[in-house]
Amino acid sequence: MTPQSFLTTKDFYPGTIEFFDCDINPEISLDEQLDSLKEDMCQVRYGNNLILDFGWYPSFSAPGCFQIRVIKNYNWEDPILTKEARNLVSLKQMIIDAVKLICKLNE
Protein backbone atom coordinates (compact mmCIF):
# COMPACT_ATOMS: atom_id res chain seq x y z
CA MET A 1 0.00 0.00 0.00
CA THR A 2 1.32 3.48 -0.74
CA PRO A 3 0.82 6.67 1.24
CA GLN A 4 -2.13 8.87 0.36
CA SER A 5 -3.32 12.41 1.10
CA PHE A 6 -0.75 14.49 2.96
CA LEU A 7 2.15 12.00 2.62
CA THR A 8 3.80 10.56 -0.48
CA THR A 9 6.39 7.86 -1.05
CA LYS A 10 8.87 10.68 -1.69
CA ASP A 11 8.58 11.70 1.98
CA PHE A 12 10.07 8.34 3.00
CA TYR A 13 12.78 8.04 0.32
CA PRO A 14 15.06 6.02 0.27
CA GLY A 15 13.12 3.74 2.61
CA THR A 16 10.89 0.81 1.76
CA ILE A 17 7.35 1.14 3.06
CA GLU A 18 6.53 -2.09 4.88
CA PHE A 19 3.18 -1.01 6.29
CA PHE A 20 0.94 2.01 5.64
CA ASP A 21 -2.55 2.43 7.07
CA CYS A 22 -2.92 6.20 7.34
CA ASP A 23 -6.15 7.41 5.78
CA ILE A 24 -6.29 10.82 7.45
CA ASN A 25 -7.86 13.60 5.43
CA PRO A 26 -5.86 16.83 5.95
CA GLU A 27 -8.98 18.90 5.21
CA ILE A 28 -10.91 17.53 8.21
CA SER A 29 -10.01 18.11 11.86
CA LEU A 30 -8.34 15.20 13.65
CA ASP A 31 -11.13 15.24 16.25
CA GLU A 32 -13.55 14.29 13.47
CA GLN A 33 -11.37 11.35 12.38
CA LEU A 34 -10.84 9.48 15.63
CA ASP A 35 -11.51 6.12 13.91
CA SER A 36 -8.40 6.74 11.78
CA LEU A 37 -6.11 7.61 14.70
CA LYS A 38 -4.46 4.32 15.61
CA GLU A 39 -1.13 3.16 16.98
CA ASP A 40 -0.06 1.24 13.88
CA MET A 41 -0.14 3.69 10.97
CA CYS A 42 3.19 3.42 9.19
CA GLN A 43 6.45 1.50 9.23
CA VAL A 44 9.32 2.16 6.81
CA ARG A 45 12.52 0.10 6.60
CA TYR A 46 15.94 1.59 5.82
CA GLY A 47 19.49 0.27 5.56
CA ASN A 48 21.53 -0.63 8.65
CA ASN A 49 18.48 -2.15 10.35
CA LEU A 50 16.76 1.22 10.83
CA ILE A 51 12.99 1.60 11.00
CA LEU A 52 10.84 4.72 10.96
CA ASP A 53 7.54 4.10 12.71
CA PHE A 54 4.62 6.38 13.52
CA GLY A 55 1.15 6.13 14.95
CA TRP A 56 -1.35 7.84 17.25
CA TYR A 57 -1.14 7.16 20.99
CA PRO A 58 -3.40 6.19 22.58
CA SER A 59 -5.43 4.86 19.69
CA PHE A 60 -8.73 6.56 18.90
CA SER A 61 -8.25 9.13 21.67
CA ALA A 62 -8.71 12.86 20.96
CA PRO A 63 -6.22 13.99 23.62
CA GLY A 64 -3.53 11.71 22.15
CA CYS A 65 -0.73 12.58 19.75
CA PHE A 66 1.29 11.20 16.87
CA GLN A 67 4.48 9.47 17.98
CA ILE A 68 7.36 9.16 15.56
CA ARG A 69 10.18 6.73 16.34
CA VAL A 70 13.42 5.70 14.72
CA ILE A 71 14.41 2.19 15.78
CA LYS A 72 17.76 0.45 15.26
CA ASN A 73 18.25 -3.33 15.31
CA TYR A 74 14.61 -3.89 16.37
CA ASN A 75 15.35 -2.36 19.80
CA TRP A 76 11.87 -0.94 20.42
CA GLU A 77 12.70 -0.38 24.12
CA ASP A 78 15.41 2.19 23.31
CA PRO A 79 14.56 4.20 20.16
CA ILE A 80 17.23 6.40 18.57
CA LEU A 81 14.61 9.14 18.18
CA THR A 82 11.17 9.73 19.66
CA LYS A 83 9.08 12.78 18.77
CA GLU A 84 5.47 13.78 19.26
CA ALA A 85 3.14 15.87 17.10
CA ARG A 86 -0.44 17.05 17.57
CA ASN A 87 -1.14 18.07 13.98
CA LEU A 88 -0.37 16.96 10.43
CA VAL A 89 1.97 19.86 9.63
CA SER A 90 4.19 18.98 12.60
CA LEU A 91 3.95 15.26 11.81
CA LYS A 92 5.12 15.76 8.24
CA GLN A 93 8.05 17.95 9.33
CA MET A 94 9.09 15.42 11.98
CA ILE A 95 8.98 12.63 9.38
CA ILE A 96 11.19 14.70 7.08
CA ASP A 97 13.62 15.35 9.97
CA ALA A 98 13.63 11.66 10.95
CA VAL A 99 14.41 10.59 7.38
CA LYS A 100 17.31 13.10 7.29
CA LEU A 101 18.65 11.60 10.53
CA ILE A 102 18.34 8.08 9.11
CA CYS A 103 20.19 9.13 5.94
CA LYS A 104 23.02 10.59 8.06
CA LEU A 105 23.24 7.38 10.08
CA ASN A 106 23.53 5.44 6.82
CA GLU A 107 26.41 7.53 5.40
Side-chain angles (χ1 to χ4, degrees):
M1 186 177 286
T2 59
Q4 312 167 24
S5 64
F6 71 102
L7 294 170
T8 68
T9 54
K10 184 177 108 179
D11 295 317
F12 300 103
Y13 182 82
T16 301
I17 298 168
E18 301 275 318
F19 177 79
F20 192 87
D21 187 17
C22 183
D23 58 356
I24 295 171
N25 182 337
E27 297 179 14
I28 300 173
S29 78
L30 292 176
D31 289 341
E32 295 178 52
Q33 302 181 77
L34 292 178
D35 289 345
S36 296
L37 301 177
K38 51 199 165 265
E39 291 182 7
D40 295 324
M41 296 178 94
C42 179
Q43 192 171 99
V44 184
R45 185 166 314 284
Y46 294 85
N48 290 327
N49 287 323
L50 291 164
I51 296 170
L52 184 152
D53 180 84
F54 79 81
W56 184 268
Y57 293 83
S59 287
F60 316 116
S61 175
C65 64
F66 292 105
Q67 290 186 7
I68 300 96
R69 293 186 178 98
V70 175
I71 307 297
K72 182 160 178 81
N73 294 327
Y74 306 100
N75 186 356
W76 293 89
E77 312 318 309
D78 189 22
I80 292 174
L81 174 76
T82 303
K83 296 280 185 177
E84 293 184 351
R86 287 273 314 138
N87 61 60
L88 297 179
V89 172
S90 296
L91 173 63
K92 185 161 185 165
Q93 186 58 54
M94 289 181 190
I95 288 169
I96 291 166
D97 293 345
V99 170
K100 286 179 184 176
L101 171 66
I102 290 167
C103 289
K104 279 188 178 184
L105 293 171
N106 277 326
E107 288 180 346

